[in-house]
Amino acid sequence: MQVVTSVGERRNTKEMEVENVFHMNKGVDHTSYAKNSLMQRTVTSKAGPIIEESAKKVYNTLRPECLMMAEMGCSSGPNALQVVSRIIDVIEETSQSINRQCPQFGVFLNDLLGNDFNTMFNLLPNFNKDLQEAKGSSCGPCFVSGIPKSFYGRVFPDKFLHFVHSSYSVHWLSQVPRGLVSENGEALNKGNIYIAKTSPPEVYNTYCAQFESDFMLFLRSRSTEMVCGGGMVVVLNGSINSDDSDSILELLGSTLQDMVLEGVIEQEKLDKFNMPFFTPTVEEVRKLVEAEGSFALNKLETFTVDWSVDTSQNLETRAKFVAKTVRAIVEPFLTTAFNHAVIDDLFLLFETRVKERIARKTGEFFTIVLSVTKKE
Ligand SMILES: C[S@@+](CC[C@H](N)C(=O)[O-])C[C@H]1O[C@@H](n2cnc3c(N)ncnc32)[C@H](O)[C@@H]1O
């Protein structure tokens, strides 16, 4: 069955399923995303100067009375509102430096339907209180709302947004690429859950094609929603080489394979399971921004963050941290295929594999920061 969306693109119902089931671990307990997203906070903080520079440029160019900004893929937990605070700070400083009244702010926290928006909204009273205490009447009121909709497609009206930020979200695909399991049920990526050393080349090609079509749709949708002169910063998990297979998901896949050998998981389930994820190279991102054509490229930079963020800790602490970080992200999607009952054991074994791996060789998240301006 096909569904025609607001931008007219045809999407099938299987694709909608990922949209409806995908989310990070909810709540605020010890496995939640809210409590296990220091790695993502570190990434956004490193990209902070580029985010601030872009927001400042937008304000100086457009001087809106109410600055409309979208935080796309906000998840639940403190990260999204921290970056929003940072943007408000820089706009307030800039408006003061030119003796203008600080604008009002419309902040739109966007994520998929399954996101734990309640946990996010529970942080708003403190966010508003801190803003009021820090800025008083010098800063225009800030109106925050949640927008549950996939960013692969239209989310806002035409020419509505002045600033868009998205961090560690657009490497998640709109769907698991269709070609990974053939029409007659034959699995292409046996024993893996993402591109891995044992994956045939078609696996990379299939993933890459899905990313290209999703990222193009993301750019086209934002292009229509943003005003000319508006700014967008997208921070995403990337790769150094296009078919780089030495990723944390390769390690998680091989841990699942170990559990197959222990008889805990069925081989067929693992063979047919793949993550809706793709880490592009800088060149792949540049090519797509240029091909889409409606954004001027300001910056395209990269940096790395250690899987464990803090390499001064001992191996046990670091491995535990990495396993908790990964679990908070992938547990809900893993349980669409594997029984809940295996998850604790899976992540205990994964922690051991991470420890062995980082004792041998550093593991790093390669990050791409893209800063663009909507052309006239
Ligand atoms: C790893 S979290 C990052 C959250 C936050 N930006 C941060 O830095 O902590 C990725 C988020 O992207 C969201 N996401 C993935 N695909 C999405 C889509 N198509 N539309 C909206 N949000 C999406 C996920 O639900 C998840 O909450």
Side-chain angles (χ1 to χ4, degrees):
M1 180 187 165
Q2 286 197 322
V3 175
V4 180
T5 70
S6 44
V7 276
E9 78 272 26
R10 292 193 177 278
R11 316 177 76 184
N12 61 39
T13 43
K14 287 231 162 130
E15 181 179 336
M16 306 292 268
E17 276 164 29
V18 168
E19 239 177 69
N20 294 336
V21 297
F22 192 80
H23 59 87
M24 307 290 101
N25 264 351
K26 300 184 183 196
V28 289
D29 77 2
H30 69 286
T31 63
S32 65
Y33 184 79
K35 289 275 157 65
N36 294 286
S37 45
L38 175 64
M39 186 280 290
Q40 293 84 345
R41 193 147 65 248
T42 308
V43 165
T44 308
S45 160
K46 282 187 97 164
I50 297 180
I51 300 168
E52 287 179 358
E53 182 186 63
S54 173
K56 208 166 155 175
K57 184 173 162 186
V58 166
Y59 180 69
N60 277 328
T61 315
L62 301 172
R63 307 241 171 121
E65 282 180 18
C66 182
L67 192 137
M68 300 295 196
M69 61 168 128
E71 178 63 30
M72 309 209 81
C74 62
S75 200
S76 55
N79 297 3
L81 289 175
Q82 279 189 11
V83 75
V84 168
S85 292
R86 201 165 168 167
I87 294 164
I88 292 177
D89 282 350
V90 78
I91 304 285
E92 192 217 8
E93 274 166 35
T94 313
S95 63
Q96 276 182 358
S97 72
I98 54 169
N99 284 324
R100 280 182 71 94
Q101 172 71 32
C102 184
Q104 300 188 5
F105 296 94
V107 176
F108 301 94
L109 302 174
N110 157 257
D111 208 291
L112 293 171
L113 197 63
N115 183 53
D116 184 2
F117 280 101
N118 281 343
T119 292
M120 198 70 205
F121 294 156
N122 281 333
L123 299 171
L124 287 176
N126 273 341
F127 169 79
N128 288 324
K129 186 166 145 274
D130 291 350
L131 199 65
Q132 180 63 30
E133 278 173 10
K135 318 239 176 263
S137 59
S138 72
C139 182
C142 180
F143 302 95
V144 183
S145 35
I147 312 283
K149 192 151 195 263
S150 172
F151 51 50
Y152 296 125
R154 288 293 301 278
V155 180
F156 298 100
D158 289 4
K159 299 185 175 53
F160 181 75
L161 297 169
H162 301 105
F163 189 69
V164 174
H165 168 253
S166 178
S167 197
Y168 261 49
S169 300
V170 304
H171 47 251
W172 291 106
L173 303 171
S174 67
Q175 60 174 319
V176 177
R178 286 290 156 249
L180 295 176
V181 178
S182 73
E183 291 286 313
N184 58 13
E186 182 68 17
L188 195 61
N189 199 20
K190 291 197 169 105
N192 302 308
I193 60 169
Y194 182 56
I195 303 163
K197 284 185 264 313
T198 54
S199 304
E202 302 91 282
V203 170
Y204 162 74
N205 296 336
T206 310
Y207 266 111
C208 189
Q210 184 65 49
F211 176 76
E212 285 182 4
S213 110
D214 284 345
F215 195 57
M216 272 305 227
L217 183 54
F218 179 87
L219 292 174
R220 263 197 284 129
S221 308
R222 300 302 80 77
S223 163
T224 316
E225 294 163 355
M226 287 170 67
V227 301
C228 295
M232 175 162 73
V233 178
V234 178
V235 183
L236 72 160
N237 192 187
S239 304
I240 297 176
N241 306 312
S242 344
D243 54 357
D244 184 8
S245 63
D246 200 11
S247 74
I248 202 150
L249 287 186
E250 176 165 17
L251 193 59
L252 183 62
S254 65
T255 311
L256 282 159
Q257 183 60 51
D258 289 344
M259 292 188 85
V260 170
L261 298 178
E262 286 172 11
V264 181
I265 284 173
E266 289 163 49
Q267 183 73 56
E268 198 191 350
K269 274 200 178 155
L270 172 59
D271 289 349
K272 290 188 174 167
F273 178 82
N274 293 286
M275 292 299 291
F277 174 87
F278 182 73
T279 52
T281 63
V282 171
E283 281 320 307
E284 283 162 350
V285 171
R286 184 197 307 277
K287 195 184 79 184
L288 293 168
V289 172
E290 287 173 358
E292 195 278 332
S294 53
F295 292 99
L297 187 61
N298 303 323
K299 285 216 156 95
L300 191 51
E301 296 190 358
T302 65
F303 59 81
T304 55
V305 170
D306 192 87
W307 284 354
S308 66
V309 177
D310 182 359
T311 51
S312 68
Q313 303 285 327
N314 64 38
L315 280 182
E316 280 77 19
T317 307
R318 291 173 63 200
K320 202 174 274 306
F321 175 91
V322 176
K324 288 179 89 177
T325 301
V326 174
R327 178 172 181 168
I329 302 168
V330 303
E331 178 172 356
F333 196 70
L334 282 179
T335 54
T336 61
F338 306 107
N339 200 314
H340 252 115
V342 305
I343 296 293
D344 282 343
D345 287 347
L346 169 67
F347 282 96
L348 270 179
L349 188 57
F350 183 59
E351 191 181 312
T352 310
R353 296 286 176 267
V354 170
K355 189 174 154 203
E356 291 161 0
R357 161 65 205 270
I358 60 180
R360 238 180 327 112
K361 186 179 166 208
T362 330
E364 288 178 328
F365 291 109
F366 180 80
T367 299
I368 299 177
V369 188
L370 168 72
S371 168
V372 293
T373 300
K374 171 77 196 296
K375 289 181 191 165
E376 290 296 323

